[in-house]
Amino acid sequence: MKHLIDAKELSPEYVERLIASAEDIISAPGSYSDRCRGRILATLFYEPSTRTRLSFESAMLGLGGQTLGFSSADSSSASKGESVADTIRMVSCYADICAMRHPKEGSALVASMHSGIPVINAGDGGHQHPTQTLTDLMTIHSVKKKLDGLSVGLCGDLRFGRTVHSLIHALSKHKNNSFILVSPDELKIPDYLREEMIKGGVRFTETEDLKQSIKEMDVIYMTRVQKERFFNEEDYVRLKDSYILNRQKLSQAKKDLAVMHPLPRVNEISTEVDDDPRSVYFDQARYGRFVRMALILDLLS
Ligand code: ASP
């Protein structure tokens, strides 16, 4: 049985195939509208979500399938103390595939070990978010026409930002990419990831200076400081506005920079940047539906 748990599973060939499939769906949606007739997607969301859950549901509906699920832990038996392992055993009887978001790192992996249906990790704590990476890669591919040879800046909460960890894993598999990691000291990438990057020969630099480093970037990926992962409010308040990308900072950047953000944004990108032709964060949200359609089709095949 196929699952998608970790962005390390996203080989360049697999990504290329999913993007091609998503592009085909965009160009001829009608020919896909019956492909999942009679199939059910369960969305098990123990943590808040807007884009991921709705785009998964919209993806399944667009394929002619149906959806069921819950959108908070309170409305599931988790509130009674049921384990993920037991829940997924039940859900395997009611659905053909599931997308799961959970605050605990590793929970999607645990679910996949007890599941009778494909499990898609829709975010496990501060660890991974591989389907966000698929939509990120599709966006980069659409503007840069390639996924290699890029200088990619990641800025903000690199410690808890799961989309950052997944994107680094996936882009590291493509040739000649390098990373500029911009964050305050307390929000640097986790040690395990830094060690993996060094071991894998991935080129990267770490800095606190966005103003200078933005000049070198082909892509900038801004991220929200992940309030829900902080132990105390004070630290969050102190760090939350560490970086705000505005028109003035962008004036120093390359003319063909791609400005990305997994959303939701709080203050990380000033709204005055929304009209800049380099801003592609709403495209990321749009592609999410199609690339998830491609993924569902692949995992159910
Ligand atoms: N939506 C993304 C996530 O679920 C990014 C974020 O919440 O900041 O990880």
Side-chain angles (χ1 to χ4, degrees):
M1 177 153 343
K2 293 193 269 187
H3 306 283
L4 178 60
I5 306 300
D6 195 303
K8 282 188 193 147
E9 297 156 36
L10 298 175
S11 68
E13 301 71 37
Y14 188 41
V15 168
E16 201 183 308
R17 192 150 57 79
L18 290 177
I19 291 177
S21 165
E23 282 168 352
D24 199 55
I25 295 169
I26 292 173
S27 64
S31 54
Y32 289 86
S33 60
D34 233 16
R35 294 281 293 274
C36 283
R37 178 82 46 218
R39 317 296 289 270
I40 296 173
L41 166 81
T43 50
L44 313 179
F45 277 63
Y46 297 82
E47 254 196 355
S49 168
T50 302
R51 273 153 297 275
T52 305
R53 186 172 61 83
L54 294 184
S55 67
F56 262 117
E57 293 185 358
S58 170
M60 193 51 161
L61 295 172
L63 293 167
Q66 287 173 298
T67 69
L68 50 77
F70 51 83
S71 56
S72 78
D74 298 347
S75 56
S76 80
S77 281
S79 62
K80 301 181 189 169
E82 186 170 60
S83 68
V84 163
D86 283 359
T87 301
I88 196 70
R89 279 197 189 97
M90 293 303 101
V91 172
S92 299
C93 306
Y94 312 143
D96 300 284
I97 183 166
C98 91
M100 190 180 114
R101 170 169 293 183
H102 197 284
K104 212 161 169 210
E105 291 77 12
S107 44
L109 178 64
V110 170
S112 70
M113 288 157 59
H114 296 89
S115 180
I117 58 175
V119 175
I120 302 169
N121 182 4
D124 61 329
H127 184 223
Q128 290 266 327
H129 192 347
T131 66
Q132 177 67 45
T133 298
L134 287 174
T135 188
D136 296 342
L137 294 176
M138 185 163 176
T139 308
I140 296 173
H141 189 264
S142 78
V143 287
K144 299 286 175 193
K145 309 294 172 219
K146 61 177 189 174
L147 290 173
D148 51 18
L150 296 167
S151 168
V152 180
L154 297 124
C155 176
D157 187 348
L158 312 187
R159 178 176 176 201
F160 297 116
R162 56 194 173 197
T163 66
V164 166
H165 309 155
S166 291
L167 188 58
I168 290 175
H169 274 145
L171 278 175
S172 298
K173 292 180 181 290
H174 296 259
K175 285 197 197 100
N176 295 326
N177 287 325
S178 58
F179 301 94
I180 302 173
L181 307 175
V182 189
S183 70
D185 197 46
E186 286 152 283
L187 298 180
K188 282 177 157 180
I189 54 164
D191 292 342
Y192 80 86
L193 182 54
R194 185 177 302 103
E195 278 158 29
E196 276 177 20
M197 291 170 82
I198 292 168
K199 224 169 152 186
V202 178
R203 283 184 296 141
F204 69 97
T205 53
E206 296 184 277
T207 175
E208 296 197 16
D209 187 348
L210 176 59
K211 235 171 149 187
Q212 272 305 316
S213 58
I214 197 169
K215 299 176 186 164
E216 312 296 322
M217 300 174 189
D218 300 309
V219 172
I220 183 163
Y221 193 92
M222 298 297 294
T223 61
R224 173 179 72 89
V225 175
Q226 307 280 296
K227 184 177 186 202
E228 61 276 37
R229 315 267 175 243
F230 277 68
F231 293 112
N232 72 66
E233 177 85 11
E234 236 172 72
D235 287 345
Y236 170 71
V237 171
R238 184 168 48 79
L239 292 165
K240 73 182 173 67
D241 291 331
S242 298
Y243 300 99
I244 300 176
L245 186 63
N246 55 18
R247 251 191 225 144
Q248 200 240 328
K249 285 203 190 85
L250 212 46
S251 68
Q252 305 296 311
K254 290 186 184 173
K255 296 280 164 268
D256 63 347
L257 174 75
V259 180
M260 301 179 67
H261 192 306
L263 303 178
R265 97 176 120 183
V266 184
N267 286 326
E268 309 79 47
I269 302 182
S270 158
T271 51
E272 67 186 21
V273 171
D274 292 358
D275 294 334
D276 191 296
R278 291 171 286 184
S279 297
V280 294
Y281 29 94
F282 293 114
D283 291 334
Q284 282 168 266
R286 189 165 57 82
Y287 286 136
R289 175 172 186 248
F290 300 106
V291 84
R292 288 183 173 105
M293 286 169 96
L295 178 67
I296 291 169
L297 284 174
D298 177 73
L299 295 182
L300 284 177
S301 67

